[in-house]
Amino acid sequence: MTPRPLLSTHDLEEAQHYITDVYIPHDLQTRDGRTLDFKLRYLRSERLTVGHLVYGADAELLVPPMLDCYHMNLTLSGQTMVAQKGRRAATQARQRGVLFQPDDPFTVRWSPEATQYAVKLPRRPLEAHLSKLINRPVERPIGFDLGFDLASPGGQSLLSAVNYLRVELSRPGGISEMPLARDHLESLVLTQLLLTIPNTFTDLLSTPGQPAQRGNVRRAIDMIETNPQAELSLADLAAAAGVTGRQLQRGFKEAVGMSPMAYVRAVRLDRVHAELLEGAGTVPVTDVAMRWGFFHLSRFAQQYRERFGHLPSETVRRVLRHS
């Protein structure tokens, strides 16, 4: 996933061409006669396309079935009116979002001041991610509610996850070419989406069930400790352990007193610590941290201090003082 240049135009046909190229062929109309002030900046990977999009006019999109993709709009300012298969919903800035099914046409009417994250979600990766979380095949499309609450704690977490992914991947010299970090952030967005937006699998995702047995937890722990630098999302660990994501979370809490992802972070911090002790002064702390999956350096320093009682730079200084 790499940042793309800003697409900008005042021309209706050119705006329609841009959206067709990034998302899907569609019809675009304006209802107020206002000249467009269209702007789109987007990032694309196999698992999702995230666009920051504005039309700057009372624009209406008529979209045919996407078939192999779901589509989510998270409204940041202004409002939209949408419809799909007899259902209607309205979005408001940071209050309501929408998710469209792949098999039916839909319409979206934008207010002139509306700005949105427009997220295209290919079916196969999203359904595969869900399958890992619930530990069973997903053999039918995920039936999402059309509109959902963005102001709830889960909605705010979803909005933050999408924003964090976009900001980090757009940052010059950032993590767009770092597969581990990119995969982790994409998995975070997919998991949060599935947990936040009511859907036909919500009960399976939210019902605790019995905690994972210690043997299942042990399989996940072995996977973490054997290869902690790999992509290790909750969905991946649950699939490896042969349980649902919720069962694994409960089993980890009982067995080791923390969540699976907190355990992943602890193991990676231990590897950073060991590497700093081994090669103090020869490799920059930043390089070591990023090699073990810590790309937000101020947060890494805080987490390191919480685990070891001092900053990573102090570890290096202590070793050098006694060498």
Side-chain angles (χ1 to χ4, degrees):
M1 178 179 280
T2 56
R4 306 300 176 96
L6 174 68
L7 303 175
S8 177
T9 185
H10 300 296
D11 182 76
L12 185 73
E13 290 186 3
E14 191 170 20
Q16 184 173 344
H17 169 76
Y18 286 146
I19 293 298
T20 294
D21 185 56
V22 176
Y23 293 101
I24 190 173
H26 66 291
D27 291 327
L28 174 63
Q29 306 171 9
T30 57
R31 298 294 187 177
D32 57 2
R34 183 184 304 196
T35 300
L36 292 184
D37 187 17
F38 174 93
K39 293 182 176 63
L40 170 63
R41 193 181 297 276
Y42 72 100
L43 307 118
R44 176 187 284 161
S45 75
E46 291 183 1
R47 293 205 285 180
L48 44 79
T49 297
V50 180
H52 184 271
L53 176 61
V54 60
Y55 280 94
D58 183 351
E60 184 174 52
L61 285 79
L62 309 175
V63 186
M66 297 189 76
L67 298 180
D68 58 354
C69 294
Y70 300 85
H71 185 89
M72 178 174 68
N73 286 342
L74 305 178
T75 304
L76 305 174
S77 63
Q79 55 273 328
T80 70
M81 297 292 296
V82 308
Q84 185 178 44
K85 201 178 181 182
R87 302 180 299 165
R88 296 182 181 277
T91 73
Q92 295 175 319
R94 301 182 181 274
Q95 298 296 311
R96 300 287 297 175
V98 291
L99 194 144
F100 299 103
Q101 299 296 123
D103 294 330
D104 298 292
F106 60 91
T107 63
V108 186
R109 184 166 180 176
W110 295 58
S111 68
E113 70 278 13
T115 304
Q116 300 195 108
Y117 287 141
V119 185
K120 180 179 177 180
L121 300 149
R123 281 184 61 170
R124 185 172 296 176
L126 181 61
E127 292 170 4
H129 192 81
L130 171 62
S131 177
K132 291 179 181 179
L133 285 173
I134 62 176
N135 191 36
R136 64 180 63 183
V138 175
E139 298 174 339
R140 64 184 191 275
I142 309 166
F144 288 98
D145 284 4
L146 178 60
F148 61 90
D149 188 359
L150 265 185
S152 68
Q156 289 296 295
S157 294
L158 173 59
L159 190 57
S160 295
V162 173
N163 182 65
Y164 184 62
L165 172 67
R166 178 177 173 270
V167 169
E168 289 300 314
L169 292 176
S170 299
R171 192 190 306 279
I175 60 176
S176 60
E177 300 303 322
M178 300 176 184
L180 172 63
R182 184 190 66 237
D183 290 345
H184 174 72
L185 293 181
E186 290 176 1
S187 293
L188 174 65
V189 169
L190 298 185
T191 297
Q192 194 62 46
L193 180 159
L194 290 164
L195 294 176
T196 297
I197 305 174
N199 63 76
T200 48
F201 294 88
T202 292
D203 287 346
L204 282 173
L205 288 163
S206 59
T207 302
Q210 292 297 317
Q213 299 297 311
R214 287 186 176 267
N216 303 100
V217 173
R218 183 71 253 174
R219 285 202 292 274
I221 289 175
D222 289 344
M223 182 179 182
I224 294 167
E225 294 186 345
T226 300
N227 197 15
Q229 71 273 25
E231 179 196 353
L232 296 170
S233 68
L234 176 61
D236 293 318
L237 293 172
V243 294
T244 69
R246 287 297 297 273
Q247 288 176 313
L248 188 64
Q249 287 176 320
R250 293 188 67 196
F252 256 79
K253 192 70 174 178
E254 291 186 3
V256 298
M258 64 181 73
S259 71
M261 299 317 297
Y263 191 84
V264 170
R265 182 170 63 247
V267 170
R268 289 175 175 171
L269 285 169
D270 289 345
R271 301 298 173 91
V272 171
H273 184 65
E275 196 165 326
L276 292 178
L277 291 175
E278 177 84 17
T282 62
V283 181
V285 171
T286 297
D287 291 355
V288 177
M290 295 182 74
R291 180 158 56 248
W292 289 103
F294 297 99
F295 304 97
H296 194 293
L297 296 179
S298 62
R299 187 176 301 164
F300 156 71
Q302 178 184 351
Q303 292 167 342
Y304 188 98
R305 180 164 54 186
E306 289 172 355
R307 185 156 182 82
F308 300 108
H310 56 266
L311 293 171
S313 56
E314 180 59 24
T315 297
V316 175
R317 283 196 294 270
R318 290 180 181 184
V319 173
L320 294 177
R321 276 201 304 266
H322 294 92
S323 61

